[in-house]
Amino acid sequence: MINSRNSKAVGLFAGSLDSILAFRLIAEQGIAAVALHFRLPFAIPGRTPTDDQLQSQAKMLGVSLVTFDAGADYLEIVRNPQHGYTVKMAPCIDCMAYMLKQAKLLMQEIRADFVFTGEVLGQRPFSQSKRSLKLLEKLTGLEGRILRPLSAKLLEPTIPELSGLIRRERLLDFHGRNRRRQIRLAREFGIVDYPIPGGGCLLTDTNFATRCRDAIDRNEFQTLTDIRLLNYGRHFRLPGKSKLIVGRNEEENRILENLTDSDQLILKPVETVGPVCILRGAKPTKKEIELAAQICARYCDHPGEQLVKVAANGKIYKARPCAEEELIQWRIGGPITRPSPVLELDRKGKNHDRRNSAAD
Ligand code: SF4
């Protein structure tokens, strides 16, 4: 039996219940673990642990935390996933491979023995099938070196198990989407402070996915600002192909103004309360600006059909509010609901929504 006292491992750490449990199982075997957390551009606001929460989780688990910001290279995965989309626009296989490759680099850098994750076999029908888990090993060059402690007994033994570094009999055989066993185990470990189990990212949200598809098709999915803009407001694709984003409340108005580049047109009502609107496009036509002003007028606080003064491009447009029936033809997806209802369970393990999602 190999002495595991000086052994190290790198674990993917989402801050979810599954990843917390995986870390506890590894710690129980005397392995020093490093928690690798990814800040992904499509994380669901309010569902993603803050830096402080991550730090206190790492402290509670007794592990060191490394965070990694996914950047433009990650956007290319979403634009063009080698292994397709699993749920809506979520490229889960490529996304997991991206994270595992970074984990592999860290493993090599700190001379760790293996990588582990909180994945549960069958929890996500496509990305967490036996076939997909095997494929991830191949794609990352980590054959035999990715341990999934929560489902290990249902999978082929890995190198750390075969070498005696990890005792297989102390690993688990969790399977499927029901998280009752995880919740029971958390109770046994005395873990009470963990996020409501859930999964997925914004890419699994129907409306967000519609916006992404539209942006990719129009070459507007290039920068992290492009992505942030997809998160806020109502979105419309106007007849000349420019895009109009309309703030839904004061906070969104402020965010949209901050995210606006100098080459984008801002529209604002001048004598009434209403939204900040951004018109994005190479060269919006006069007709598009007029239509944008009408849409802006539609969302202003004003009675009925009255003309509304909207400032844009150094001019004041007197706009008649656009009719609801007209708006529908230009709308890109509905509002983004937060948090996205991908998979909700309460702490008693009761499912509220069983929509398929992807990896934590
Ligand atoms: S659902 Fe999870 S695995 Fe799938 S793309 Fe989003 S973050 Fe990646």
Side-chain angles (χ1 to χ4, degrees):
M1 172 80 55
I2 290 177
N3 183 352
S4 59
R5 194 169 296 158
N6 296 318
S7 302
K8 280 185 277 187
V10 174
L12 298 190
F13 189 64
S16 63
L17 177 57
D18 290 344
S19 50
I20 291 172
L21 293 176
F23 273 80
R24 276 301 295 261
L25 291 168
I26 292 301
E28 284 218 318
Q29 304 225 11
I31 309 277
V34 174
L36 178 58
H37 177 76
F38 287 82
R39 290 202 195 94
L40 298 176
F42 304 98
I44 299 173
R47 274 273 186 88
T48 314
T50 61
D51 287 352
D52 284 350
Q53 285 166 332
L54 285 170
Q55 286 294 353
S56 69
Q57 285 176 338
K59 198 171 161 200
M60 180 261 291
L61 291 164
V63 299
S64 47
L65 179 71
V66 174
T67 52
F68 184 92
D69 289 299
D73 51 346
Y74 187 84
L75 298 189
E76 178 53 27
I77 288 176
V78 181
R79 278 194 297 264
N80 199 10
Q82 268 183 29
H83 297 88
Y85 301 104
T86 45
V87 185
K88 306 296 174 193
M89 290 289 290
C92 297
I93 299 289
D94 296 271
C95 172
M96 282 303 294
Y98 175 89
M99 294 192 274
L100 286 166
K101 280 179 192 165
Q102 296 301 333
K104 181 184 175 188
L105 289 176
L106 183 58
M107 177 187 94
Q108 289 165 339
E109 190 185 317
I110 65 169
R111 295 168 186 252
D113 301 278
F114 63 95
V115 166
F116 66 97
T117 76
E119 288 165 299
V120 171
L121 184 65
Q123 192 176 80
R124 320 290 185 205
F126 301 109
S127 58
Q128 290 178 0
S129 63
K130 263 190 190 172
R131 200 167 150 262
S132 297
L133 297 185
K134 197 84 200 146
L135 174 65
L136 282 169
E137 293 191 13
K138 204 170 157 209
L139 291 174
T140 54
L142 278 166
E143 284 101 337
R145 292 212 179 265
I146 307 178
L147 182 69
R148 279 102 178 181
L150 296 176
S151 293
K153 282 185 175 165
L154 304 173
L155 301 167
E156 276 174 36
T158 55
I159 293 169
E161 291 162 88
L162 293 169
S163 66
L165 196 62
I166 285 283
R167 288 167 65 184
R168 185 173 170 85
E169 67 274 15
R170 291 172 66 179
L171 301 175
L172 302 175
D173 59 352
F174 287 3
H175 181 274
R177 288 193 243 166
N178 193 312
R179 286 184 165 105
R180 285 197 184 89
R181 289 182 72 191
Q182 282 94 316
I183 290 163
R184 207 178 314 133
L185 183 63
R187 223 174 287 136
E188 282 167 28
F189 277 141
I191 300 170
V192 285
D193 191 15
Y194 56 85
I196 300 286
C201 65
L202 281 169
L203 294 167
T204 64
D205 179 284
T206 306
N207 290 316
F208 191 82
T210 305
R211 292 181 182 188
C212 283
R213 185 72 268 160
D214 171 85
I216 291 171
D217 292 347
R218 309 269 175 213
N219 233 2
E220 293 172 0
F221 199 89
Q222 305 298 325
T223 65
L224 291 176
T225 303
D226 288 340
I227 306 310
R228 282 191 202 110
L229 282 170
L230 293 176
N231 253 311
Y232 301 103
R234 305 169 179 93
H235 288 223
F236 301 91
R237 180 67 62 191
L238 304 187
K241 306 303 174 213
S242 294
K243 185 202 265 185
L244 183 71
I245 306 174
V246 181
R248 289 181 299 177
N249 51 46
E250 235 180 282
E251 195 199 347
E252 284 197 346
N253 287 347
R254 193 176 34 77
I255 293 170
L256 288 177
E257 261 190 296
N258 286 338
L259 289 175
T260 307
D261 297 336
S262 52
D263 59 340
Q264 295 165 5
L265 207 66
I266 296 188
L267 296 96
K268 282 187 208 173
V270 283
E271 287 172 355
T272 181
V273 176
V276 166
C277 305
I278 301 180
L279 192 55
R280 307 190 82 204
K283 266 195 180 156
T285 61
K286 185 167 170 262
K287 265 196 163 169
E288 279 185 314
I289 299 174
E290 285 168 359
L291 178 57
Q294 287 171 14
I295 296 174
C296 177
R298 154 69 183 79
Y299 292 104
C300 288
D301 290 350
H302 70 96
E305 300 267 293
Q306 227 171 276
L307 290 180
V308 177
K309 285 185 189 169
V310 176
N313 215 12
K315 288 187 193 163
I316 301 289
Y317 292 80
K318 286 186 183 164
R320 189 170 302 287
C322 193
E324 196 61 43
E325 315 81 73
E326 273 187 88
L327 279 180
I328 295 168
Q329 59 187 309
W330 301 305
R331 195 187 272 277
I332 313 165
I336 308 299
T337 46
R338 292 194 196 88
S340 173
V342 280
L343 185 69
E344 290 271 3
L345 292 94
D346 61 24
R347 288 201 168 91
K348 289 180 187 132
K350 190 176 164 207
N351 274 337
H352 294 293
D353 183 332
R354 284 178 167 271
R355 190 196 309 181
N356 289 351
S357 176
D360 278 358

